[in-house]
Amino acid sequence: QASSMERFNSQNMINLSMLEFLLKIQQRNEKQTWDKECKVFIGGLKYNVGKSDLIDIFSHYGHVKNCWIARRPGGFGFVEMLSRRDTERAVRCLNGSFVHGFKVKVEM
């Protein structure tokens, strides 16, 4: 039979595992919360465009808060700017521009 100390340690490990699991879920949910006023759609991206490429391009118009690129299927992504003003300016300047030689659609 397990001693009371072994049962105590087992229960603590289960509680710790549950706490870590809940923390991961919370962090995942926080990452997925984007400000719709500052979220930009980018269409027409080619497979060789990376997250750092979009951050570099959009950072000319303000602070980039988040960036995500679809991979399966690819061809589009989203960028979240810090302010609505920066978002509108980026859309105005980048819509119809070329990224890695291909014309992209940029819209809110």
Side-chain angles (χ1 to χ4, degrees), residues 63-95:
H63 180 77
V64 176
K65 191 174 173 184
N66 284 311
C67 181
W68 178 82
I69 298 176
R71 293 295 174 204
R72 290 186 204 171
F76 69 96
F78 293 95
V79 169
E80 180 186 12
M81 304 296 287
L82 191 59
S83 74
R84 180 164 175 105
R85 190 183 100 239
D86 293 343
T87 305
E88 290 171 346
R89 189 168 47 149
V91 169
R92 191 172 53 251
C93 294
L94 294 174
N95 187 35

Side-chain angles (χ1 to χ4, degrees), residues 38-43 45 49-69 77-83 86-97 99 104-108:
C38 299
K39 185 176 178 181
V40 178
F41 167 82
I42 306 101
L45 296 175
V49 176
K51 193 173 172 179
S52 62
D53 296 316
L54 287 185
I55 292 170
D56 288 343
I57 292 165
F58 277 82
S59 66
H60 290 280
Y61 303 96
H63 180 77
V64 176
K65 191 174 173 184
N66 284 311
C67 181
W68 178 82
I69 298 176
F78 293 95
V79 169
E80 180 186 12
M81 304 296 287
L82 191 59
S83 74
D86 293 343
T87 305
E88 290 171 346
R89 189 168 47 149
V91 169
R92 191 172 53 251
C93 294
L94 294 174
N95 187 35
S97 67
V99 175
V104 294
K105 182 176 190 173
V106 180
E107 58 188 25
M108 289 175 75

